[in-house]
Amino acid sequence: MIRTIHSLKSALRPSLLFPYSLPTMNTPAFAPSSFVTPMPARAASGAITTRTPQFVAPRMMADGPTIDVGKKKSTSLEHLLDNNRKWADRITAAEPDFFTELSKLQTPQYLWIGCSDSRVPANQIVDLPPGSVFVHRNIANVVSNTDFNCLSVMQYSIAVLKVKHVIVCGHYKCGGVAAAMTRSSLGLIDNWLRNIRDVRTKYEKRLNLLYPDEADRLARLCELNVIEQVRNVCHTTIVQEAWARGQDLTVHGWIYDLATGKIKDLGVQMTAEDKLNSVYDYEFNIE
C-alpha cells in the first residue's frame, strides 16, 4: 500500500506531467534558441529519456517577436489603416485639439444597445462624433439577465459615466429576429435566439391575427422585440438602483429602417416615474 502511494506521488511529479521548463523571472522570455528547454522524463521501462518539443519558437528581433509568413498569401489591411490616417488628419485639420481632449475623458450622454448588424453603426446614424455614445451591440439587440457582458456595459455607463439616456435600437429585416420565426436549428445561436422566441410566443396569436403577411409579421416582431428589451433594461437592478438614487435616466425604444436610413421612435420611454410590475420593483438601502 505504501509503495503504491509513493508510486502515485512519483507519477504526479510536475516534471513528469509537464516535462518542459517554462521561462522564469530570471530567464529571458522567448530565448532565441528555443521556447522551452527539454527536461528528462521517465520512460515506461524506467530509463531516463529526453522528450523533444514539437513546436518551434518564433524568430526574434531586438524589439520583440516577429512572424515569418514566408510565401503565405498577403491579407494586408493597409487600406483600412490608410483610411484611418486620412480620417484622423481630416478631424485634426477641422479641430486641432479634438483627439487631445477626447483622450482625457469620456462623458457620453447616451448608452446605445443595438444589433451587431454592420449596416446599423450607432454613431453614424445619429450623426454624433466619437465620445458621444457608449455602445453595446449583440445579435438582435437582446438584453438578457444572464448576459454579463451587456450588464457590465450597463453598470459602467449608468453608475460610473452617468449617461442620461439608454437607447435600445433594433432594425427592420433583422436576421436574428427572422431566424427566431423559423423552426430551423442554427447551432449555438439557437440558445441566444430563445430570448426572441419567447417574445414571439408571447405575442404569437396577435401577430398571426393582425399580420397575415410574413414580411409584415417580421417587421412587427422586430418592433415588439425592442419593446420587450426596453422592459428588460428597466427590470435590471442597475437601472432600478439608479432611479432609487434619484439619477436622471430615461430608457427609449427605437427601430432603424435599413431601406430609408431613418429611425422610428416606438413611443416606449421609461423613467423613474413609470410604475413597473411589483415583481421587479426592488428596494435599495441608499445612503
Side-chain angles (χ1 to χ4, degrees):
M1 179 68 177
I2 295 175
R3 183 176 298 176
T4 302
I5 293 174
H6 283 302
S7 298
L8 286 171
K9 288 182 177 179
S10 176
L12 294 174
R13 284 208 309 272
S15 62
L16 296 182
L17 290 174
F18 189 75
Y20 311 118
S21 61
L22 293 174
T24 66
M25 293 296 289
N26 299 319
T27 303
F30 304 111
S33 58
S34 63
F35 179 65
V36 294
T37 304
M39 292 288 290
R42 189 177 300 277
S45 63
I48 300 297
T49 63
T50 300
R51 297 181 186 175
T52 303
Q54 297 301 309
F55 51 91
V56 179
R59 291 191 300 109
M60 302 297 298
M61 294 182 67
D63 58 348
T66 62
I67 299 175
D68 189 356
V69 296
K71 296 182 179 179
K72 185 176 180 180
K73 183 179 178 181
S74 173
T75 56
S76 172
L77 297 178
E78 186 61 35
H79 62 292
L80 296 183
L81 298 175
D82 187 50
N83 287 351
N84 167 254
R85 286 187 288 268
K86 292 177 181 177
W87 170 79
D89 291 344
R90 193 165 58 247
I91 296 293
T92 304
E95 193 173 342
D97 295 330
F98 179 81
F99 290 110
T100 302
E101 294 301 317
L102 187 65
S103 67
K104 295 177 181 178
L105 185 68
Q106 63 167 330
T107 55
Q109 297 293 299
Y110 315 98
L111 166 61
W112 179 281
I113 300 176
C115 183
S116 298
D117 193 298
S118 62
R119 300 166 293 178
V120 195
N123 284 63
Q124 286 90 328
I125 65 175
V126 290
D127 197 22
L128 287 176
S132 303
V133 187
F134 203 71
V135 178
H136 174 79
R137 296 168 71 179
N138 60 43
I139 300 297
N141 44 272
V142 168
V143 178
S144 169
N145 65 337
T146 58
D147 181 5
F148 290 103
N149 187 343
C150 181
L151 295 177
S152 297
V153 169
M154 286 179 57
Q155 182 174 28
Y156 182 73
S157 61
I158 293 171
V160 179
L161 297 178
K162 305 296 184 184
V163 298
K164 295 184 180 298
H165 301 273
V166 178
I167 302 166
V168 179
C169 186
H171 66 96
Y172 292 118
K173 298 183 179 179
C174 178
V177 177
M181 290 182 65
T182 72
R183 296 184 60 190
S184 301
S185 175
L186 301 174
L188 178 66
I189 197 174
D190 291 337
N191 300 281
W192 182 257
L193 297 179
R194 242 296 299 276
N195 296 284
I196 305 172
R197 289 182 185 276
D198 290 342
V199 176
R200 174 190 167 195
T201 299
K202 181 177 180 178
Y203 296 99
E204 189 164 28
K205 290 183 179 179
R206 191 182 309 177
L207 284 168
N208 291 336
L209 179 64
L210 300 178
Y211 304 95
D213 180 75
E214 186 175 354
D216 292 339
R217 194 158 58 248
L218 170 60
R220 184 53 180 161
L221 184 55
C222 288
E223 295 176 344
L224 291 171
N225 181 50
V226 170
I227 293 170
E228 288 300 313
Q229 303 316 318
V230 166
R231 288 175 179 156
N232 288 345
V233 168
C234 297
H235 292 165
T236 65
T237 55
I238 300 163
V239 169
Q240 290 280 306
E241 187 173 5
W243 283 340
R245 289 194 306 266
Q247 186 171 333
D248 181 13
L249 182 67
T250 305
V251 185
H252 310 259
W254 292 356
I255 193 161
Y256 177 72
D257 191 339
L258 296 170
T260 65
K262 302 292 180 63
I263 294 174
K264 176 182 178 182
D265 187 340
L266 293 175
V268 184
Q269 185 169 300
M270 304 287 288
T271 68
E273 303 301 320
D274 294 293
K275 296 297 182 182
L276 297 175
N277 188 308
S278 59
V279 172
Y280 306 102
D281 191 9
Y282 297 93
E283 293 182 356
F284 299 92
N285 294 321
I286 306 296
E287 296 182 358

